[in-house]
């Protein structure tokens, strides 16, 4: 079972349990919502497993519905990860990886994001996220970056499309902060950042972004994200093809030194 399926089933389990205790107590969705600060539709979404419980819903509902700790126990299962369910397996792998390589073509990768830029990205989420969910995801993203400082340090390199440096997510100030943050991280001995220039007439990565991982045991696999989540690639020949594509991307991109100068020029122009 994939992590996304596990996450969905856990949410559905909690939702079913919440509905059982609510109906047993003879309370309507609107009535429960009034006690926990939710609308009727928000309670319905939790019961369908479409939305995780937020705030003090679990604690208040457990007491109000006479669940005797059952909802509290079920709620703990939803708090074991700081990441979306479909991302859990990759985040666990990333935290222990010996080497990580990322190609990004839309935004600066999460491991390089500054706080303001990360918040701007989550504020763009569709459908919109609640304020507390935005802050939780920003916090998790910044915490995730500690892998760059881990000992032994992993080798981490990035190939970024040039337009990721100029798209003003969050506004010019947030973008300038982001570029400065990237320059600072790029000074670390275990981090390499390369930019794919607009002028490139031949491009090996037109199929989209990718993340390549080498584990501590030197096993290799790839992780590919799409609109609905992500999936691993660990079988040949697809895995070998992705590693080959990334190698060509690095050769086609500007050198780390040239990339640093380009990032500096873009930042100075803001």
């Amino acid at each position: 079972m994939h992590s996304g399926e596990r996450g969905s089933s856990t949410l559905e389990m909690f939702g079913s349990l919440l509905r059982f205790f609510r109906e047993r107590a003879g309370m309507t969705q609107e009535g429960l919502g009034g006690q926990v600060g939710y609308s009727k539709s928000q309670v319905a979404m939790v019961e369908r497993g479409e939305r995780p419980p937020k705030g003090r819903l679990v604690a208040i509902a457990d007491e109000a519905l006479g669940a005797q700790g059952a909802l509290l126990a079920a709620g703990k299962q939803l708090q074991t990860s700081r990441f979306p369910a479909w991302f859990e397996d990759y985040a666990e792998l990333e935290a222990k990886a010996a080497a990580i390589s990322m190609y990004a073509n839309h935004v600066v990768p999460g491991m390089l994001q500054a706080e303001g830029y990360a918040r701007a990205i989550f504020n763009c989420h569709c459908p919109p996220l609640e304020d507390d969910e935005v802050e939780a995801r920003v916090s998790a993203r910044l915490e995730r970056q500690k892998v760059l400082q881990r000992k032994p340090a992993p080798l981490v390199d990035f190939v970024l499309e040039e337009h990721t440096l100029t798209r003003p997510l969050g506004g010019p100030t947030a973008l300038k902060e982001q570029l400065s943050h990237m320059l600072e991280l790029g000074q670390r001995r275990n981090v390499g950042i390369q930019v794919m220039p607009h002028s490139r007439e031949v491009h090996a990565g037109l199929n989209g972004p990718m993340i390549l991982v080498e584990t501590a045991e030197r096993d290799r696999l790839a992780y590919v994200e799409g609109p609905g989540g992500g999936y691993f690639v660990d079988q040949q020949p697809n895995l070998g093809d992705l590693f080959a594509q990334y190698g060509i991307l690095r050769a086609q991109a500007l050198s780390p030194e040239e990339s640093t100068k380009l990032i500096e020029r873009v930042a100075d122009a803001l």
Side-chain angles (χ1 to χ4, degrees), residues 169-182:
L169 295 173
T173 300
L175 179 59
K176 189 178 183 71
E177 177 191 40
Q178 173 59 54
L179 297 177
S180 298
H181 184 64
M182 286 172 58

Side-chain angles (χ1 to χ4, degrees), residues 14 16-25 27 32 57-75:
F14 178 85
S16 296
L17 202 61
L18 177 64
R19 182 171 61 251
F20 168 79
F21 283 111
R22 178 182 60 76
E23 292 177 346
R24 192 186 70 167
M27 188 178 294
L32 177 60
L57 181 147
V58 178
I60 294 174
D62 189 87
E63 181 176 353
L65 302 179
Q68 297 181 312
L71 289 174
L72 290 172

Side-chain angles (χ1 to χ4, degrees), residues 65-107:
L65 302 179
Q68 297 181 312
L71 289 174
L72 290 172
K76 288 181 179 179
Q77 299 300 314
L78 302 174
Q79 299 170 7
T80 57
S81 176
R82 299 158 295 147
F83 304 105
W86 54 266
F87 192 71
E88 290 175 8
D89 284 347
Y90 171 73
E92 182 178 349
L93 180 70
E94 179 185 82
K96 303 175 183 178
I100 305 167
S101 300
M102 298 188 182
Y103 165 60
N105 63 354
H106 290 303
V107 298

